[in-house]
């Protein structure tokens, strides 16, 4: 619908208060509604949508080895920052109807070659970002690693799998705030939030719903070889916040930085093991607080697993807080004899 190949200039600003659609006559083989490879002169990309607006493509899986093609917004940034303020509907693919089969499309938003630039994504309470397929939002650094990623969602973001997929973000300070709903709808989903090679500050604050019908609602694989001493993981599931998956609900690997974890809401592995698992924490302090009213549960083994820590672990389960699993409810595995533990429980821990 809107082709921007070779667009040049210092900035590109798109404001949509109406409808931009692609593929109504070619479902399953449609171009993106906004697509193109931009010129290197473009430094900033900004897209703003109104509350009643629509940007959509009726299906463009264009499957390749990375399953990262397709989209409603499909841009090769050629090293430019990207800002999205969405109050409307951005979607790819088409749901099944009584007369037509579903048409899958991947990546409602696909921005590649961001380079060493920042990304800011805001999805307002009226905003919807949806893929009837994999990947609601796909970001990739390509020529260089993304420097910062900020996502603030108070609306709805949904896909079958890999709802948020960020690649080549080594060194990116990453902040995710969710007061809305993020959902992976396929029972075979293996990631909802998927970040790999993160090697700077990572924070997640949730007061809404993060829910995977499969496994791994939050999956972050840190690049601990690139971390510096003052990097930190800050994880806060606030009162009323809910994070659910079939199993392996919150998984952070190869952390090697300080961890501040607070749960005032609910985190559940509904049909399997591992509600919260942090590994390779390294020689950094961990403050792990399941605060009053907080619930962490696994129907299988291991509600909480903290491994590879070498310094002080403060583990607090507060009054009216609960941690439960079928077996091995809390597993603590230091990697050195110098590790220290401060454990206080005034709530309930059960198997």
């Amino acid at each position: 619908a809107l082709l921007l190949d070779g667009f040049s200039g210092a900035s590109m600003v798109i404001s949509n208060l109406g409808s931009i659609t692609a593929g109504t006559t070619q479902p399953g083989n449609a171009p993106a509604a906004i697509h193109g490879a931009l010129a290197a002169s473009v430094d900033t990309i900004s897209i703003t949508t109104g509350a009643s607006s629509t940007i959509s493509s009726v299906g463009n899986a264009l499957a390749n080895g990375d399953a990262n093609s397709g989209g409603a917004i499909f841009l090769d940034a050629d090293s430019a920052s990207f800002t999205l303020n969405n109050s409307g509907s951005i979607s790819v693919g088409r749901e099944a109807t009584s007369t037509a089969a579903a048409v899958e499309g991947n990546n409602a938003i696909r921005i590649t070659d961001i380079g060493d630039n920042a990304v800011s994504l805001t999805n307002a309470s009226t905003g919807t970002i949806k893929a009837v397929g994999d990947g609601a939002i796909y970001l990739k650094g390509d020529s260089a690693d993304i420097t910062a990623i900020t996502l603030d969602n108070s609306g709805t973001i949904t896909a079958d799998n890999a709802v948020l997929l960020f690649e080549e973000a080594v060194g990116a300070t990453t902040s995710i705030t969710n007061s809305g709903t993020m959902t992976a709808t396929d029972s075979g989903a293996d990631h909802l939030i998927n970040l790999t090679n993160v090697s700077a500050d990572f924070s997640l604050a949730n007061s809404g719903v993060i829910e995977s019908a499969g496994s791994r609602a939050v999956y972050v694989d840190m690049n601990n070889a690139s971390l510096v001493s003052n990097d930190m993981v800050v994880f806060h599931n606030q009162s009323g916040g809910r994070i659910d998956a079939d199993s392996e609900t919150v998984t952070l690997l190869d952390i090697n930085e300080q961890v501040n974890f607070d749960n005032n809401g609910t985190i559940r592995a509904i049909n399997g093991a591992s509600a919260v698992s942090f590994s390779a924490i390294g020689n950094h302090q961990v403050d792990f607080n399941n605060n009053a009213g907080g619930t962490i549960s696994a129907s299988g083994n291991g509600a909480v697993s903290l491994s590879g820590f070498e310094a002080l672990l403060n583990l607090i389960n507060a009054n009216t807080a609960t941690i439960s699993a079928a077996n091995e409810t809390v597993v603590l595995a230091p990697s050195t004899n110098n590790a220290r533990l401060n454990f206080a429980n005034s709530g309930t821990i059960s198997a």
Side-chain angles (χ1 to χ4, degrees), residues 316-332:
I316 312 299
N317 191 51
N319 183 39
T320 73
T322 62
I323 305 176
S324 63
N327 195 18
E328 298 177 348
T329 304
V330 178
V331 178
L332 307 178

Side-chain angles (χ1 to χ4, degrees), residues 66 68 111-115 138-142 146 167-168:
D66 295 327
N68 60 9
I111 312 295
T112 61
D113 201 9
I114 295 165
Y138 175 85
L139 304 175
K140 190 175 183 181
D142 280 321
I146 301 169
E167 292 185 337
E168 294 170 7

Side-chain angles (χ1 to χ4, degrees), residues 15 19 44 51 56 61 101 105 122 157 190 194 199 215 252 275 287 303 314:
S15 178
S19 177
T44 61
S56 65
T122 302
I157 304 176
D190 56 7
N194 184 2
S199 62
S215 62
L252 273 66
D287 294 315
N314 293 309

Side-chain angles (χ1 to χ4, degrees), residues 171-195:
T173 298
T174 303
S175 174
I176 298 173
T177 302
N178 179 58
S179 57
T181 300
M182 295 194 287
T183 309
T185 58
D186 195 313
S187 61
D190 56 7
H191 300 91
L192 192 161
I193 298 174
N194 184 2
L195 284 77

Side-chain angles (χ1 to χ4, degrees), residues 192-219:
L192 192 161
I193 298 174
N194 184 2
L195 284 77
T196 58
N197 288 331
V198 177
S199 62
D201 292 334
F202 171 78
S203 67
L204 187 149
N206 178 56
S207 57
V209 175
I210 301 174
E211 182 176 27
S212 174
S215 62
R216 297 173 181 162
V218 179
Y219 179 86

Side-chain angles (χ1 to χ4, degrees), residues 269-310:
I270 294 176
N271 294 308
S274 185
V276 178
S277 177
F278 292 172
S279 71
I281 295 165
N283 190 26
H284 304 278
Q285 181 169 321
V286 178
D287 294 315
F288 191 101
N289 301 300
N290 192 33
N291 298 313
T295 297
I296 303 174
S297 65
S299 65
N301 293 346
V304 175
S305 175
L306 305 174
S307 65
F309 60 93
E310 302 172 10

Side-chain angles (χ1 to χ4, degrees), residues 46-327:
S46 175
I47 299 176
T48 301
T49 68
S52 300
S53 68
T54 299
I55 299 174
S56 65
S57 175
V58 188
N60 187 350
L62 292 177
N64 61 19
D66 295 327
N68 60 9
S69 295
I73 300 174
F74 186 139
L75 296 174
D76 184 336
D78 202 354
S79 192
S81 64
F82 178 67
T83 299
L84 173 73
N85 290 287
N86 178 52
S87 298
S89 173
I90 300 173
S91 65
V92 64
R94 185 178 66 189
E95 298 280 8
T97 67
S98 59
T99 58
V103 178
E104 288 197 354
N106 295 335
N107 304 305
I109 299 171
R110 177 188 185 272
I111 312 295
T112 61
D113 201 9
I114 295 165
D116 56 348
N117 293 286
V119 175
S120 176
L121 307 168
T122 302
N123 192 44
S125 59
T126 56
T128 299
I129 302 173
K130 179 178 182 178
V132 184
D134 292 344
I137 301 173
Y138 175 85
L139 304 175
K140 190 175 183 181
D142 280 321
S143 59
D145 293 312
I146 301 169
T147 57
I149 300 171
T150 303
L151 170 66
D152 187 347
N153 176 54
S154 53
T156 300
I157 304 176
T158 183
D160 289 353
N161 190 18
V163 178
L164 305 180
L165 177 57
F166 303 156
E167 292 185 337
E168 294 170 7
V170 175
T173 298
T174 303
S175 174
I176 298 173
T177 302
N178 179 58
S179 57
T181 300
M182 295 194 287
T183 309
T185 58
D186 195 313
S187 61
D190 56 7
H191 300 91
L192 192 161
I193 298 174
N194 184 2
L195 284 77
T196 58
N197 288 331
V198 177
S199 62
D201 292 334
F202 171 78
S203 67
L204 187 149
N206 178 56
S207 57
V209 175
I210 301 174
E211 182 176 27
S212 174
S215 62
R216 297 173 181 162
V218 179
Y219 179 86
V220 182
D221 189 352
M222 317 292 281
N223 184 337
N224 60 19
S226 301
L227 295 167
V228 296
S229 59
N230 61 345
D231 287 328
M232 181 179 294
V233 170
V234 178
F235 191 108
H236 190 188
N237 189 40
Q238 300 166 2
S239 179
R242 177 167 61 86
I243 305 176
D244 285 345
D246 193 70
S247 62
E248 300 177 64
T249 305
V250 176
T251 303
L252 273 66
L253 306 175
D254 294 332
I255 295 174
N256 195 29
E257 56 184 89
Q258 184 174 340
V259 176
N260 288 356
F261 176 95
D262 284 277
N263 178 52
N264 296 72
T266 301
I267 302 175
R268 299 183 297 180
I270 294 176
N271 294 308
S274 185
V276 178
S277 177
F278 292 172
S279 71
I281 295 165
N283 190 26
H284 304 278
Q285 181 169 321
V286 178
D287 294 315
F288 191 101
N289 301 300
N290 192 33
N291 298 313
T295 297
I296 303 174
S297 65
S299 65
N301 293 346
V304 175
S305 175
L306 305 174
S307 65
F309 60 93
E310 302 172 10
L312 175 63
L313 167 60
N314 293 309
L315 175 56
I316 312 299
N317 191 51
N319 183 39
T320 73
T322 62
I323 305 176
S324 63
N327 195 18

